[in-house]
Structure formats: structure tokens, C-alpha cells
Amino acid sequence: MAAITHSVNFPRVIIIGGGFGGIELSKNLKDKEVQVLMLDRHNYHTFQPLLYQVATGGLEADSIAFPLRKIFKGQQNFKFRNATVETIIPERKAVVTNIGEFYYDYLVIATGSDSNFFGSRELEHYTMPMKTIPEALNLRSMILQNLEEALIETDPLRREALLNFVVTGGGPTGVELAGALAELKRHVLPKDYPELNMNDMHIFLIEGSPSVLGPMSVQAQRSSREFLEEMGVKVMTSMRVSSYDGNKIVLSDGNEIVTKNVLWSAGVKGEVPDGISADKIVRGGRIRVDEYNQVIGYERVFAIGDVAAMSTEGYPNGHPGVAPAAMQQGAHLAENLIRIITKQPPVPFKYKDQGSMATVGRNRAVVDLGKIRFQGIFAWFVWMFVHLMSLVGFRNKLVVLVNWIWSYFSYDRGTRLIIRPFNRHSMTEDTRTK
Amino acid sequence: MAAITHSVNFPRVIIIGGGFGGIELSKNLKDKEVQVLMLDRHNYHTFQPLLYQVATGGLEADSIAFPLRKIFKGQQNFKFRNATVETIIPERKAVVTNIGEFYYDYLVIATGSDSNFFGSRELEHYTMPMKTIPEALNLRSMILQNLEEALIETDPLRREALLNFVVTGGGPTGVELAGALAELKRHVLPKDYPELNMNDMHIFLIEGSPSVLGPMSVQAQRSSREFLEEMGVKVMTSMRVSSYDGNKIVLSDGNEIVTKNVLWSAGVKGEVPDGISADKIVRGGRIRVDEYNQVIGYERVFAIGDVAAMSTEGYPNGHPGVAPAAMQQGAHLAENLIRIITKQPPVPFKYKDQGSMATVGRNRAVVDLGKIRFQGIFAWFVWMFVHLMSLVGFRNKLVVLVNWIWSYFSYDRGTRLIIRPFNRHSMTEDTRTK
């Protein structure tokens, strides 16, 4: 450990982003002869797989976030700066941020992904994304505010719009969000709003492809759809949103839904920092990297996780945008960085598919583990166990577990509070998405 | 219960405010022949005694808030509207709100208190109050942001200002806040910020009177001051803030403290709605009420809790602004309203002093129960037990207990997250205080 005091001579690795990939990379560089500097616009790591439970009042925001400084306490070659990256200048090996410039020997872009509105300013403005904690809290406030408003609305069409909830995108996020809304409607809201007729509340799930949970097995796709329909969600597949003006969705088949609540989970794109040339960006806004996660055409610049597209056998468009892929790349890149620094040849990355799962509601989940596939209550327990264990920090695990046990037996959601009212018109881009 | 279906004929009691008083009043009107309508600008009840733990990262905001609709689920004569009161028009028995007008037969003002800056716009603008959950979250963000900034600040005077924390007001809130900051400094921040020299961080508590915890016993005053000083807080009594420009406090003895962190807990004033004539407002911005909590000079208008000043024997300026006083008045007024409606004479209110307590830090609290006074670890357990039991809702009790136990053994605070960055300049009056 004495070497750490001389660490100024060690090469500096700057990691942009404290998501699953950035954290795993930093951890694996512990006690190695490098200086690690992590930059993130938030001072915490967000456990994105449970954001939908924050948005639907099931969990506190604080229990799925973890202070980044705390993760690395005691790691002496690690520093953190709470900073927003403005641009990268590879020629000078510099990262320009709102708090000044930092210089790297090796740069790792681990910025993850953001909502993809496919170029539509209208959808970006009127729908509610859910990629960050502030966004999930805005969503929670909006849902509750619209229910309060529905109570006092006398115009039937406007009331209908307040009570129609449309979730776009039938990936895990969309399925989980639609399921959570259906449970709110069934178990929680009737007690809170005895004045509202719950039959007037409708939940729609709109998916462009022919089935929900596209990348999962046919069994998982079929079961999750059945679960959703049992719970009262109207699932519309092979369907797209043509337009939405804040009051009315026009669908690709010409039908319309009046709604004030459109939850956007129809797509993500890599969050590429400025300074990376546009010709390096491929499908899904990801940065093209080689099998060592090095950004093609750049020296000493790497990308991992959702923001990176590594074309390998079986994954021509890059690996799936999930936590295990980011974590594997992070751990692997740590090893390769040390190899590169010590003049050994780097080792190509190989992705290990750890399976996939999604939960729809109480006792209802779907799990694919290679050839092993199961659905229902056991899948639901597996889903809970895996997510609980993946949460960073013992306190968070405990608080989430307490909430889940309590919700299971009480059929309730603990935190349906409008702490900061959502007001689209007073939102700036900054407060909305950061 | 059948009578409820005819409840339109029952007199309507409008209660403004879902604090301790309003809730107790509503609960005690359950199954009585009245219609209850509660109005609150928040959809939740705030457990104010623990706000300081939210501000210092010890508790999630959601665990000290409870949805008002949920408290009254199943109470058939109760309705809630999430509304901000604009004015009262007693001549028309009307309450004007942002969502329309409501008409009462009996009106109860239970709006509580807000921070009192004693007319100083400067103090109101530059200091941080802590009377609501959004305010406590702003405070939490500001504290953490200023620590991050101190790390990168090279100018020594500006760095000093970022690391000086001044708490104004030595009541329970100020004492608890100063103690919590001292514990952060001692146990949590050294691990999070190994680059910062913690000796550069200073915590001041400024109190105008000769001792902290003025209304408590001399033993409590002395012990709490000793506890604070042991923990490294500089306690300055018989001292006032003459001015503060956002960078420098000038004290009444002419000394100065450079600081970016001034936490305002030096005073409260009743939050009187518009429409109550100014000549009914007494010391502390409270509304003068008779011994039946009726606002003097108004018919069918009542006030309870912090906003009400009832001059009785031993309490010439009204009862203390604490939860038990509000709750006792709420329960008592419920009984009196029924008496008034059924043409029986109302009964004068009598305050039962249930004692008072404050916590300074781990194993350090002070308790006065009439003649019984004790300080230290047992007092600390009593304080925790009483506060835990007073929290509304089983889930909240459980989550708070888990957090406390975890903090006790880990010497840590779980939630030091900057979820919404605080920016004084982008704050409107509305987002700041509501």
C-alpha cells in the first residue's frame, strides 16, 4: 500500500459514469498501479431496474440509490468528482467539465443510455421518461396529481384523459411499469379514492413488435402477456404511436386514445459525450468499440456498457443493454488496462449470458436461464432475490426487503407522496432529465 | 352507518391543514353527524420532529411522510382535497382555493407555522429554513453540494465559507440539527471525503437567549450544551445574527463568520390564511382564540395548534407550538363542535403538559417529564421510542427503526444523496417553501 503515496506517477484512468460498468471497473482497479478518477453528474449510483417501483410509489428513491463516495471508501487509488462532462478533447487527452478540465492517460466512457424518442421533439416534450431518479419522482408526482385532478374534473373527456395511462414499449421496463400500475389500480387506489370509479381507469401497453419482452423466450412472452391481461392491462402489439400532443395519442392503425399520462419506455440510446466523432456512432446511438472495448479510431479511449457497441459472434449489434453485460465489460477492461499498461497483449471480451427476467406483478414473473424457463410464483421469488442481492449496500437491501414484505401482506404501496409537484411547463430540460 | 348516505344534510366542517391538529380533529369526528372536508397543499402529513434527520441524510423523506388519504381510508364522512387555500371569506362562509371555492358550516384553521425571519428579506433569501420536506431535501442537497465544492475550491476564504455551518436558534430543532451535523463530521464525512481535513469544518449554534432549550429545565439546558460542546459544536448564547449577505454573518457582538451554510431555525410564526383580519393576529403571528378555540370576533371559525394563541393560566401567550398541544386541541375541538351542533354548551380547553425532550446525538438526549428529569443514554432511548411510536403508519415505523438500528451499529448515514441539486437562484418562492 505504500506505493499509493507515489501514485501521482501512476497512469490516470478517468471513468465517466458511476453505473454498473463504471463501478465494476473501478473496483477491479483497486490496489492496482493506476490512479482512478470517476466523474458523474450525480453523487450516487442508481439501481435502474427498480426505478419503476419508485415511480409507482412502492419504494423510496433513496433505497435504490447509493452514494458513490461510499462504495469506494478506503480505496486509496480512487477519487470521485461530482461533475457534468461538457466535452472530451482526445487530442489533448482532456475531459472538460462544469468544474474544470481533467487529463487522462486512459479514458473510459461508461455513461450508459438515455431515453430515445427517435427524433420526435413532440414525444420528448409530452411523454414521461424514466431513466433517472428525478424522472421517476416526476412520474410518481404526475400520476398522483392526475388522479387528484380526475376527482374534481367535471368534463367527461378531460376526466377520461386523466384516467387513461399509456405505457409505450413492451420491454422489461414497460411490462413492469404497466403491471405496477395495474396493481395500484386494483389494490391501492380504491381505498384512497372511494369517490372514483376504478372501472374508469384504463392501462394500455403499446409495443411495436408482435410480442412483449421481444428478446426473451416464447414462453416468457406468452406468459407475461397473459399475466398483464389477467391484471386488466390492454396489451396492443404490432402497434406504434404516430403522434401525441399532450392530450391524445394517435396510433399507427388510426385509432386514438385520449390521455394525459404517457409513460415512455419505447427505446434507449447511448448517452455519448461530445467530442466523439459522429462516424463512430452506430445503431442505438452507441459507440463502436473493438473486442477490447477500445473506441475504434481513438487511442486510449474506451467505452463499456450500454453506450458501447461491440460486434461479436451472436451479437452483431452489440451486447444487450443490461447490468450484467456492463459489469462483465467493466471487470474485463480493468484486466486489459493493466495488461496494456504493463505492455502485455489485451484479451478479447467474451459475453456470458446470465439469462433474463421480468416481473409483472405479485406472484407473476418470467425467467429465462438458458434452456431453463419458468413463469409464475417461483420466477417471482427468483426475480426478487436476484434484484435484492444486486442492490448496493446492506441498508438499501434491508429497506427494500422491509418494503416488499410489508407490501406483500398489506396489498399496499408505502410512498404515494407528491413531494415535488410535477409541472411540465415549469420544467427545464435540466430539471427534467438530470 | 346508514346515516352516512344522508350526510349531505349534516353540517360541513372544513379543516385547513393535515398536521397533528387537523388529523386528530378529523379522527375524532369519525362516525359523527358531520361532513369533514380536509384541505392541504400537500397530499401527505409531515412528521416535522424528524425533518432534521432527512436534512442530514439519516432518513428518507418518504419515511416521515404519510399520505393523508390513507390515514382516513374507510372514514366515510371524510373527504380530502389537495388544494392551496388562497383566502377565507367569512361573510360567505367560503374558502377560496386554487381548485375552486368550498363552503363551510364550521371552519377550522389548522395550518401550523412557518419559519419566522422577523421581517428580514435578506435572511429569508439567504438562509435555509427547514419546515417542510422539500425544504429539508434542499438543505440536504446544499450541505452535500458545498462539501463537494470545498474539495475543489482553491481560494482559502471561499473554502472556509463552504465548510462553516451555522445553525441559528437553540430550540429543539437547532440543537438537533447542530448535533446531527457534528455526527456527520465525526463519523461519516471523514470516510467519504478523505481529501478534506475535517478540522477545517466548523459547526456553530447561535442562540439569542442565555441558554439553549429555553423552555426546558436548567438540567436539560446545561446537559444539552455540554453534549454539543463535547461533540465539537461552538455554542454561542446571548448572541444574534445582525446581518447575512450569503457569504458572511455579522453577529450582534460585531464578530463575523464567513459561511455559505446558514440553517434557519431561529423562529416560527403562525401560517395565517388571508381573510383573517390583522387585529386578530397576536405575538408570533398566531390567531387569538378563546378557550373553545374559536377565533375571537368570528362566528363558526376556529383555530388549533401552532397557528392558534389561546391565553390561559400559565400560558399567557398561548400553548407551546408542539405536537401534543395541537393534538389535544384537535381532539377537544371535535367534542366541542358536536356539542355546539347539538346545542350543548362547549367545554373550555385545558392543556396537559406531557413533558419535553430533545436529542443531541448518539446516546445523548435530554428529557423533562414534569419533576422527573434525566439526560444521556436512557433519555436517548426514551426520545427514540416516543418519536417512533408517534410516526404515522406501520411501514414508516419499520423503515425508520431499520435506519436507526443500522446507523447505530454502522456509525453511518444512509441517504446522503443529491437527488435534486439545490440552486438558490433558480428557486422560486413556490418551490422553496411549498
Side-chain angles (χ1 to χ4, degrees):
Chain A
M1 297 304 282
I4 297 302
T5 50
H6 305 290
S7 68
V8 278
N9 300 317
F10 291 151
R12 180 188 262 190
V13 179
I14 293 187
I15 301 167
I16 309 177
F20 291 107
I23 288 178
E24 201 63 19
L25 170 59
S26 303
K27 278 187 178 170
N28 281 276
L29 290 175
K30 189 177 179 180
D31 297 337
K32 302 292 189 248
E33 298 194 335
V34 291
Q35 306 171 60
V36 180
L37 173 64
M38 181 182 281
L39 307 174
D40 198 298
R41 64 182 184 195
H42 293 139
N43 77 334
Y44 54 86
H45 165 71
T46 303
F47 191 72
Q48 291 189 348
L50 292 179
L51 276 175
Y52 81 96
Q53 296 205 2
V54 172
T56 51
L59 289 177
E60 291 94 338
D62 299 28
S63 59
I64 65 156
F66 200 82
L68 284 165
R69 291 192 177 281
K70 205 170 132 184
I71 297 175
F72 298 102
K73 75 174 181 208
Q75 181 166 336
Q76 297 192 38
N77 68 350
F78 177 89
K79 285 192 181 180
F80 174 76
R81 288 292 179 269
N82 192 188
T84 303
V85 171
E86 287 163 1
T87 189
I88 295 165
I89 309 177
E91 303 78 50
R92 295 203 282 119
K93 293 198 268 184
V95 178
V96 184
T97 77
N98 64 324
I99 61 167
E101 286 190 23
F102 298 95
Y103 303 95
Y104 61 82
D105 295 298
Y106 299 93
L107 175 66
V108 183
I109 302 168
T111 39
S113 57
D114 201 358
S115 298
N116 193 351
F117 300 97
F118 306 104
S120 165
R121 295 292 298 171
E122 190 193 57
L123 291 173
E124 184 168 357
H125 183 70
Y126 287 116
T127 71
M128 298 290 285
M130 195 193 61
K131 285 290 288 178
T132 65
I133 287 181
E135 285 177 356
L137 291 172
N138 281 343
L139 194 44
R140 179 175 92 176
S141 289
M142 187 200 70
I143 293 168
L144 295 167
Q145 284 167 242
N146 284 352
L147 288 169
E148 292 287 339
E149 217 177 309
L151 267 184
I152 55 172
E153 181 59 66
T154 49
D155 178 79
L157 199 66
R158 286 167 63 171
R159 195 164 167 282
E160 195 184 334
L162 291 165
L163 291 173
N164 278 342
F165 290 80
V166 178
V167 179
T168 59
T173 305
V175 165
E176 289 172 344
L177 205 42
L181 286 172
E183 295 211 317
L184 267 184
K185 176 187 165 182
R186 191 156 162 185
H187 300 303
V188 179
L189 302 180
K191 285 179 250 168
D192 271 14
Y193 299 92
E195 301 163 71
L196 272 186
N197 182 350
M198 277 301 138
N199 295 327
D200 294 347
M201 178 175 169
H202 299 286
I203 301 155
F204 301 88
L205 178 64
I206 298 175
E207 163 60 34
S209 77
S211 58
V212 297
L213 299 179
M216 289 189 73
S217 66
V218 177
Q219 292 98 306
Q221 292 170 5
R222 200 177 296 145
S223 291
S224 55
R225 185 179 185 131
E226 280 170 21
F227 289 154
L228 284 166
E229 288 175 343
E230 276 168 30
M231 292 163 71
V233 176
K234 297 206 174 92
V235 182
M236 305 162 99
T237 46
S238 303
M239 188 71 79
R240 287 174 186 280
V241 174
S242 297
S243 71
Y244 177 55
D245 62 359
N247 286 303
K248 190 176 66 184
I249 272 191
V250 180
L251 297 171
S252 48
D253 67 354
N255 279 319
E256 297 177 353
I257 304 172
V258 293
T259 177
K260 291 272 186 195
N261 313 285
V262 180
L263 286 43
W264 189 257
S265 56
V268 296
K269 62 170 194 283
E271 185 144 341
V272 181
D274 279 357
I276 297 294
S277 138
D279 64 322
K280 303 293 178 277
I281 315 295
V282 296
R283 209 180 110 110
R286 298 171 112 183
I287 304 171
R288 206 149 61 92
V289 297
D290 64 18
E291 59 200 323
Y292 312 108
N293 281 103
Q294 181 148 352
V295 178
I296 293 185
Y298 286 86
E299 262 182 43
R300 295 170 173 243
V301 180
F302 299 80
I304 57 174
D306 285 15
V307 76
M310 183 194 296
S311 183
T312 53
E313 214 191 308
Y315 303 96
N317 296 314
H319 302 112
V322 295
M327 293 168 80
Q328 289 174 32
Q329 290 183 3
H332 188 81
L333 180 56
E335 200 187 312
N336 271 343
L337 282 176
I338 299 304
R339 284 179 162 271
I340 291 165
I341 289 165
T342 56
K343 317 268 186 231
Q344 298 170 67
V347 177
F349 173 75
K350 270 210 168 58
Y351 176 56
K352 278 187 221 78
D353 185 353
Q354 298 181 337
S356 50
M357 51 183 76
T359 195
V360 187
R362 161 186 293 265
N363 300 339
R364 291 181 175 102
V366 293
V367 173
D368 287 355
L369 295 173
K371 297 257 174 271
I372 307 164
R373 289 150 192 179
F374 46 100
Q375 299 86 34
I377 185 162
F378 180 64
W380 188 66
F381 276 104
V382 169
W383 181 93
M384 284 200 295
F385 181 77
V386 166
H387 282 77
L388 204 57
M389 288 302 109
S390 312
L391 268 173
V392 179
F394 180 65
R395 193 200 72 95
N396 285 359
K397 287 187 180 70
L398 209 59
V399 170
V400 169
L401 182 66
V402 163
N403 274 294
W404 283 354
I405 292 175
W406 184 83
S407 292
Y408 189 75
F409 290 105
S410 68
Y411 284 79
D412 202 354
R413 295 278 178 282
T415 65
R416 39 190 192 282
L417 315 163
I418 307 170
I419 299 278
R420 311 247 186 190
F422 173 70
N423 179 349
R424 196 181 309 279
H425 306 294
S426 73
M427 287 279 141
T428 61
E429 277 311 295
D430 188 67
T431 53
R432 188 164 178 215
T433 63
K434 298 274 163 83
Chain B
M1 298 303 284
I4 296 302
T5 49
H6 306 290
S7 67
V8 279
N9 299 319
F10 292 150
R12 180 188 260 191
V13 179
I14 293 186
I15 302 168
I16 308 177
F20 291 107
I23 288 178
E24 202 62 21
L25 169 59
S26 303
K27 277 187 179 170
N28 281 276
L29 289 174
K30 189 177 179 179
D31 298 336
K32 302 290 189 250
E33 297 194 336
V34 290
Q35 306 170 60
V36 180
L37 173 65
M38 180 182 282
L39 307 174
D40 198 298
R41 62 183 184 192
H42 293 140
N43 77 334
Y44 54 87
H45 165 71
T46 303
F47 189 73
Q48 291 189 348
L50 292 179
L51 275 176
Y52 81 97
Q53 297 205 1
V54 171
T56 52
L59 289 177
E60 290 94 335
D62 300 27
S63 59
I64 65 157
F66 200 82
L68 284 165
R69 291 192 178 282
K70 205 170 131 182
I71 297 175
F72 298 101
K73 74 175 183 209
Q75 181 166 335
Q76 297 192 40
N77 69 348
F78 177 88
K79 284 192 184 181
F80 174 75
R81 288 292 180 267
N82 191 188
T84 303
V85 171
E86 287 162 2
T87 190
I88 295 165
I89 308 177
E91 304 77 51
R92 292 203 283 120
K93 293 199 269 184
V95 178
V96 182
T97 77
N98 64 324
I99 60 166
E101 287 192 21
F102 298 95
Y103 303 94
Y104 61 81
D105 295 299
Y106 300 92
L107 175 66
V108 183
I109 302 168
T111 40
S113 58
D114 200 357
S115 297
N116 192 351
F117 301 96
F118 306 104
S120 166
R121 295 292 296 171
E122 190 193 56
L123 291 173
E124 184 169 356
H125 183 71
Y126 287 116
T127 70
M128 298 291 284
M130 195 192 61
K131 285 291 287 179
T132 66
I133 287 181
E135 284 176 356
L137 290 173
N138 280 343
L139 194 43
R140 179 174 93 175
S141 288
M142 187 199 70
I143 293 168
L144 295 167
Q145 285 166 242
N146 284 351
L147 288 169
E148 292 287 338
E149 216 177 310
L151 268 184
I152 55 170
E153 182 58 67
T154 50
D155 179 79
L157 199 65
R158 285 167 64 173
R159 196 164 167 282
E160 196 184 332
L162 291 165
L163 291 173
N164 278 341
F165 290 80
V166 179
V167 179
T168 59
T173 304
V175 166
E176 290 172 342
L177 205 41
L181 286 172
E183 296 211 316
L184 266 185
K185 176 187 165 182
R186 192 157 162 183
H187 299 303
V188 179
L189 302 179
K191 286 180 251 168
D192 271 13
Y193 298 93
E195 302 163 70
L196 272 185
N197 182 350
M198 278 300 139
N199 295 327
D200 295 347
M201 178 174 169
H202 300 285
I203 300 155
F204 302 88
L205 178 64
I206 297 176
E207 163 60 34
S209 78
S211 58
V212 296
L213 299 180
M216 290 189 73
S217 66
V218 176
Q219 293 99 304
Q221 293 169 6
R222 200 177 296 145
S223 292
S224 55
R225 184 178 187 134
E226 279 170 18
F227 289 154
L228 284 166
E229 288 175 342
E230 277 168 29
M231 293 164 68
V233 176
K234 298 204 174 93
V235 182
M236 305 162 98
T237 46
S238 302
M239 187 72 76
R240 287 173 187 280
V241 174
S242 295
S243 71
Y244 177 55
D245 62 0
N247 287 301
K248 192 175 66 184
I249 272 192
V250 180
L251 297 170
S252 48
D253 66 355
N255 280 319
E256 297 177 352
I257 304 171
V258 292
T259 177
K260 291 272 186 195
N261 312 286
V262 180
L263 285 45
W264 190 257
S265 55
V268 294
K269 62 168 194 285
E271 186 144 340
V272 182
D274 279 357
I276 297 295
S277 137
D279 64 321
K280 303 292 178 277
I281 317 294
V282 295
R283 208 180 110 111
R286 297 172 112 181
I287 304 171
R288 206 149 62 93
V289 298
D290 65 18
E291 59 200 323
Y292 312 108
N293 282 102
Q294 181 149 352
V295 178
I296 294 185
Y298 286 86
E299 263 182 43
R300 295 171 173 242
V301 180
F302 299 81
I304 58 175
D306 285 16
V307 77
M310 183 194 297
S311 184
T312 54
E313 213 192 308
Y315 302 96
N317 296 313
H319 301 112
V322 295
M327 291 167 81
Q328 289 175 32
Q329 289 183 5
H332 188 82
L333 179 57
E335 198 188 313
N336 271 344
L337 282 177
I338 300 303
R339 284 180 162 271
I340 290 166
I341 290 165
T342 55
K343 318 268 185 230
Q344 299 170 66
V347 177
F349 173 75
K350 270 211 168 60
Y351 176 55
K352 279 186 221 80
D353 186 352
Q354 298 182 336
S356 49
M357 51 182 76
T359 194
V360 187
R362 164 186 291 266
N363 301 338
R364 291 180 175 101
V366 294
V367 173
D368 287 356
L369 296 173
K371 296 257 175 272
I372 306 164
R373 289 151 192 179
F374 46 100
Q375 299 87 33
I377 185 162
F378 180 65
W380 189 66
F381 276 104
V382 168
W383 180 93
M384 284 200 295
F385 180 78
V386 167
H387 282 78
L388 205 56
M389 288 302 108
S390 312
L391 268 173
V392 179
F394 180 65
R395 193 201 72 96
N396 285 359
K397 287 187 181 71
L398 210 58
V399 170
V400 169
L401 182 66
V402 163
N403 273 294
W404 283 354
I405 292 175
W406 185 84
S407 293
Y408 189 75
F409 289 105
S410 68
Y411 283 80
D412 202 354
R413 295 277 179 283
T415 65
R416 39 192 193 282
L417 314 164
I418 308 169
I419 298 277
R420 311 249 187 190
F422 173 70
N423 179 350
R424 194 180 312 279
H425 306 293
S426 73
M427 287 279 140
T428 60
E429 278 311 296
D430 188 68
T431 53
R432 190 166 176 212
T433 62
K434 298 276 162 82

